[in-house]
Amino acid sequence: MKEIIYLIPGLMTDKRLWSRLIPHLEDEYELIHFPIPLSEDFDEIVEHLDKEIGNKKVNILGFSLGGYIASYYTLKNPDKIKRLFLVSSTPSSTEEKDIARREKKLQEAREDNFSPLNLEKAKELLEIKDDEELIHIVSSMFNDLGNKAFVPQLASTLKREDLFDDLVKLNIPISLYYSTEDRLLNHTSINEILQKENNLKVISREGTSHNIPLEFSKELSIHIKDWMSHE
């Protein structure tokens, strides 16, 4: 029987996020995509995930916002998690410098003033600028999910608490993989994690990519396989 890995996407991403990663992993693992429920309450979100997982003991990988959800779930249900992997994500609160900007965007979205992500803006979010299919995937995920997903997902980011100290007390393999110049990542949290003695395996790659599962799927799959090899 294959080991199960639950895959949790991030803000305004869906199962298409894993489309280039799955071919590298599907022969070895059972990969289950968990779409983020339309809720801004992390307790409610992880209740949905717990119903999905049931009595199984699984591995869990989260990207960006999904990494925080995966961390939150792991702390709520440590007996159900074998391993935790965070991609372009930290188990931390939102930085003060980002809160006002997000609150402004949230207010606009609540007033139904939703700005679609055109191809040019999608391209700006990527490290790889010449992959047309990739640009279309990022734009389509955002626009298809739309305002109904954007409002609760963005609102949830304003309710994050720092989970790091509790997370590192768990005796499970935890890996964190990120790009050194990712402008969407909380680098203050990364620096704090690197300075504290803990059991996290922190792996960095040179570059700006936030969407690592799409842009650098092969490299990510190698680190996932290594993570899965640890008991």
Side-chain angles (χ1 to χ4, degrees):
M1 237 176 106
K2 293 179 182 176
E3 284 242 44
I4 296 170
I5 305 177
Y6 271 85
L7 306 173
I8 307 178
L11 185 77
M12 302 304 280
T13 60
D14 59 24
K15 63 183 179 182
R16 286 169 280 189
L17 176 72
W18 318 114
S19 58
R20 297 185 175 187
L21 178 65
I22 285 173
H24 297 295
L25 299 171
E26 61 187 349
D27 289 344
E28 295 176 59
Y29 313 111
E30 182 181 350
L31 305 167
I32 301 174
H33 168 73
F34 176 75
I36 299 175
L38 296 177
S39 171
E40 56 189 71
D41 183 325
F42 286 116
D43 287 313
E44 189 175 340
I45 290 168
V46 300
E47 276 180 27
H48 283 276
L49 179 55
D50 196 46
K51 285 178 185 173
E52 177 89 15
I53 289 175
N55 294 320
K56 301 186 291 287
K57 189 158 187 175
V58 301
N59 308 284
I60 192 166
L61 181 150
F63 163 75
S64 198
L65 173 59
Y68 186 85
I69 293 168
S71 300
Y72 197 92
Y73 180 84
T74 298
L75 286 174
K76 290 279 185 181
N77 302 276
D79 55 321
K80 294 187 179 182
I81 299 298
K82 292 182 181 178
R83 304 172 187 87
L84 171 66
F85 198 115
L86 309 180
V87 184
S88 304
S89 178
T90 60
S92 56
S93 55
T94 299
E95 289 189 274
E96 276 301 319
K97 67 181 180 65
D98 293 329
I99 289 176
R101 178 176 55 84
R102 293 190 187 196
E103 285 177 337
K104 183 174 182 293
K105 279 185 173 289
L106 181 60
Q107 183 60 37
E108 290 171 354
R110 288 197 195 279
E111 293 168 358
D112 214 24
N113 184 16
F114 177 72
S115 299
L117 187 68
N118 63 34
L119 295 178
E120 203 53 44
K121 287 181 183 175
K123 186 176 180 178
E124 289 173 10
L125 294 173
L126 295 166
E127 182 174 328
I128 298 172
K129 307 289 188 185
D130 58 354
D131 187 329
E132 294 297 325
E133 181 189 55
L134 180 61
I135 295 167
H136 277 275
I137 290 172
V138 171
S139 174
S140 297
M141 287 192 294
F142 190 97
N143 296 334
D144 290 350
L145 285 165
N147 207 38
K148 68 177 181 181
F150 186 68
V151 168
Q153 288 184 10
L154 187 62
S156 73
T157 69
L158 298 172
K159 300 178 179 181
R160 292 170 57 140
E161 299 173 358
D162 201 298
L163 306 177
F164 173 75
D165 289 338
D166 290 329
L167 206 59
V168 296
K169 292 174 186 174
L170 301 178
N171 188 28
I172 60 170
I174 303 175
S175 289
L176 191 163
Y177 187 44
Y178 73 101
S179 298
T180 54
E181 305 301 321
D182 177 1
R183 62 188 177 87
L184 298 178
L185 190 66
N186 184 338
H187 289 279
T188 303
S189 176
I190 292 283
N191 291 334
E192 288 175 359
I193 289 168
L194 291 172
Q195 288 166 16
K196 292 178 181 177
E197 188 174 331
N198 60 73
N199 61 339
L200 264 74
K201 182 173 184 179
V202 181
I203 313 147
S204 65
R205 59 167 301 279
E206 295 295 324
T208 62
S209 177
H210 187 70
N211 291 282
I212 290 174
L214 277 170
E215 294 193 87
F216 299 98
S217 55
K218 187 173 182 181
E219 292 91 329
L220 175 57
S221 73
I222 291 167
H223 293 299
I224 291 172
K225 289 175 184 180
D226 178 66
W227 165 69
M228 288 293 291
S229 71
H230 291 84
E231 295 299 330

